[in-house]
Amino acid sequence: MRIDLEKLQKEYFPAALESIKAIIKIPSVRGEKAPQTPFGENTKKVLDFAINLAKELGFKAYQDPENRYGYVEYGSSEKIFAILGHLDVVPTGDLTKWEFEPFNPQVKDGKLLGRGSFDDKGPTIINLYALKYLKDHGFEPDYRIRLIFGLTEETDWASITSYMETEGIPDLGYTPDGEFPVVYAEKGILNVDIIAGGENFILIGGEAYNSVNDVVKYQGPEMSKIEAILTSENIENYVEKDMLIIKGKSSHGSLPECGVNAALEALNAIAHVNPTSKIAKFVEEHLYRDYSFSKIFPAMRDESGNLTVNNGIVEINHDKTRITLNLRVPITYCQEDVVKPLTVELAKFDLQLIDLKWENPVHMSKDSPMIQNIMQVYREVTGDHNAQPLAIGGGTYAKAMPKCVAFGAEFDIEESTMHAYNEYVKIDDLRKMLEIYTKSIPLLTKINK
């Protein structure tokens, strides 16, 4: 199908931009459950807005009676192609760190500023207007296309789980909530706890499984020796109110090598002065500056990369020991491939494993028509003919739905403002998105091109 780029950008893009501004104004952070608002009042308001906008644009749209999800539908086939967007946003945090009101969108220096501008209201609305262009110009897909509005991507994915339980699982789809050009593979994600009885010291710190533990507090014997070991390793530390504060560097749990784990630095130092500590000896043997459990899993790697392991939380006192691990498992391995060997090794240190949560990997062949069609359009629009499909350790919204991959919308992950203060999206990037999605949807939803 030929796309009139001048018409797309001059007529459809300005309307899309105004709709994005309007939807940003709704502070759709998940709130308290109430009748007819299972995820809070503002998530219902944002769903109402999106459904009404779709109807104004001439689409058939459906809103779940319990306001758990909604979708726009185009086409009449039995086969369903899903475009999985979400309209909820993360909290704004400390408002003093924002240079502008997060829910008062504005354009400045070629950027659209506002919470949700990139994650994921902007890309979701751009996909709606891509569909609008195609509908207006007579495109007839071989799939029934559903642009699904999720409402809990930033929390527990209950919204899209409700969709699939009620509507069934789509045959194929993408989410504009990841990276360009396309993420063909995402590692499995496994969260576990290592537990044991108490120790003769206190070590506490960390906030989340999937973040490098960057600050811990220690209280116990041989504090001065531990302080000296840390200092010799250039690890920041100081005493405050009878506690030794140890500081590292935060990083995402999929990239533990980019951070400095304060808890593991501390436990390695403790192992040198406290040889009876079971957890410290395990860390010294297997986790200290080893981001792939190389002694336990020396060959666990495939095209998606190595196994990686991150410690996020530590909670050790006289009564109990607990440290958390977030493992990113290569796509050709399963949960048990990790759990069984790790359980056996932990037993040698009188430590136990609690297997908490597993997220299946995402894998679509790089040679599949879907990936090849996406790459064809991306290279054409951007001129980047060296671009290749991505395999990542992080998890995207594609994990919420089988047969789904992350297709955009981040062009440069290193400059991403998703979840950050002063979130923005470049206007030129929104324009590129509109062209990419408008050109891709016909290729992806025609079974016989």
Side-chain angles (χ1 to χ4, degrees):
M1 178 179 179
R2 179 183 174 274
I3 307 298
D4 184 336
L5 293 181
E6 183 176 3
K7 189 172 186 179
L8 181 69
Q9 296 296 349
K10 286 188 176 181
E11 295 183 20
Y12 289 81
F13 182 75
L17 184 60
E18 290 307 308
S19 294
I20 297 169
K21 290 178 185 177
I23 201 170
I24 287 172
K25 292 179 181 178
I26 304 170
S28 51
V29 177
R30 186 172 182 170
E32 292 296 321
K33 179 179 180 180
Q36 299 305 306
T37 58
F39 312 123
E41 181 180 354
N42 284 322
T43 58
K44 180 181 183 299
K45 286 181 179 178
V46 80
L47 181 59
D48 290 342
F49 176 93
I51 294 295
N52 289 334
L53 173 62
K55 289 179 178 178
E56 289 171 6
L57 295 176
F59 286 102
K60 177 183 175 182
Y62 175 80
Q63 187 162 354
D64 171 56
E66 298 178 36
N67 297 303
R68 298 171 299 171
Y69 61 86
Y71 57 80
V72 175
E73 189 164 271
Y74 180 52
S76 57
S77 172
E78 289 300 312
K79 284 182 169 290
I80 293 177
F81 187 96
I83 301 172
L84 178 56
H86 71 88
L87 304 178
D88 59 313
V89 296
V90 293
T92 55
D94 184 355
L95 289 175
T96 66
K97 294 184 179 180
W98 286 80
E99 297 174 5
F100 51 86
E101 163 54 46
F103 297 114
N104 181 24
Q106 54 188 286
V107 174
K108 183 179 180 181
D109 299 328
K111 301 172 183 176
L112 173 61
L113 314 174
R115 174 60 89 212
S117 58
F118 218 136
D119 186 19
D120 184 42
K121 291 177 177 178
T124 299
I125 297 300
I126 286 292
N127 272 270
L128 177 61
Y129 277 85
L131 285 176
K132 169 65 173 169
Y133 177 94
L134 295 172
K135 181 176 74 69
D136 288 351
H137 291 79
F139 173 66
E140 296 182 4
D142 291 336
Y143 286 85
R144 188 164 17 131
I145 301 171
R146 281 187 178 175
L147 172 55
I148 303 169
F149 301 128
L151 302 175
T152 61
E153 190 276 340
E154 302 296 2
T155 51
D156 60 5
W157 296 357
S159 175
I160 198 60
T161 299
S162 297
Y163 170 90
M164 289 190 291
E165 289 173 349
T166 307
E167 309 284 345
I169 298 173
D171 296 277
L172 199 62
Y174 68 76
T175 178
D177 195 30
E179 300 177 46
F180 281 120
V182 62
V183 178
Y184 81 96
E186 300 178 22
K187 293 178 181 178
I189 301 177
L190 177 63
N191 286 343
V192 300
D193 284 3
I194 296 175
I195 63 168
E199 294 275 2
N200 67 340
F201 60 87
I202 295 171
L203 186 69
I204 53 173
E207 296 181 346
Y209 283 81
N210 65 344
S211 294
V212 170
N213 191 333
D214 62 338
V215 180
V216 292
K217 298 178 180 180
Y218 172 84
Q219 186 179 67
E222 308 289 3
M223 186 179 293
S224 60
K225 291 184 180 179
I226 292 169
E227 185 178 0
I229 293 171
L230 292 168
T231 300
S232 71
E233 295 291 337
N234 297 314
I235 302 300
E236 181 182 355
N237 65 91
Y238 55 89
V239 176
E240 184 179 87
K241 297 181 179 179
D242 298 324
M243 301 284 285
L244 180 62
I245 312 300
I246 301 122
K247 289 192 172 184
K249 176 185 174 184
S250 183
S251 179
H252 193 275
S254 65
L255 299 168
E257 69 276 10
C258 294
V260 176
N261 194 301
L264 302 185
E265 294 289 340
L267 284 164
N268 176 70
I270 291 168
H272 284 79
V273 300
N274 189 348
T276 63
S277 171
K278 300 169 184 177
I279 190 64
K281 296 305 290 184
F282 177 80
V283 166
E284 180 189 36
E285 178 73 15
H286 290 296
L287 280 172
Y288 177 64
R289 298 186 183 181
D290 185 342
Y291 310 108
S292 61
F293 264 149
S294 61
K295 293 181 180 178
I296 306 174
F297 305 102
M300 189 172 283
R301 65 179 63 88
D302 58 27
E303 64 180 286
S304 64
N306 294 324
L307 172 76
T308 63
V309 57
N310 175 67
N311 160 252
I313 301 167
V314 62
E315 186 182 7
I316 301 172
N317 55 41
H318 300 297
D319 298 317
K320 69 175 183 178
T321 292
R322 171 181 174 248
I323 73 167
T324 70
L325 300 182
N326 175 253
L327 300 110
R328 310 289 168 134
V329 182
I331 57 175
T332 55
Y333 294 83
C334 68
Q335 182 176 6
E336 285 305 304
D337 292 330
V338 176
V339 170
K340 286 184 178 180
L342 184 53
T343 299
V344 170
E345 186 63 24
L346 285 167
K348 297 176 184 178
F349 295 82
D350 293 325
L351 301 170
Q352 293 181 296
L353 185 74
I354 298 179
D355 183 1
L356 293 174
K357 182 181 179 184
W358 168 254
E359 294 179 12
N360 287 319
V362 171
H363 183 212
M364 186 175 290
S365 170
K366 288 188 286 187
D367 296 325
S368 68
M370 182 156 170
I371 300 300
Q372 289 298 306
N373 284 329
I374 286 173
M375 292 306 304
Q376 173 187 324
V377 173
Y378 181 84
R379 289 166 179 157
E380 173 194 327
V381 173
T382 64
D384 183 0
H385 296 284
N386 295 318
Q388 296 296 326
L390 305 173
I392 64 172
T396 77
Y397 206 16
K399 274 190 162 66
M401 181 177 285
K403 302 176 185 177
C404 183
V405 295
F407 173 24
E410 185 65 75
F411 287 96
D412 186 350
I413 199 67
E414 298 300 322
E415 294 185 8
S416 175
T417 59
M418 293 182 181
H419 294 199
Y421 294 112
N422 303 312
E423 181 180 350
Y424 69 84
V425 59
K426 294 176 182 177
I427 302 295
D428 284 346
D429 283 354
L430 287 173
R431 288 187 181 277
K432 281 191 289 186
M433 285 181 215
L434 183 59
E435 182 179 351
I436 288 170
Y437 291 125
T438 305
K439 287 182 173 180
S440 295
I441 291 170
L443 291 178
L444 301 178
T445 59
K446 280 301 226 185
I447 295 173
N448 296 310
K449 296 187 297 175

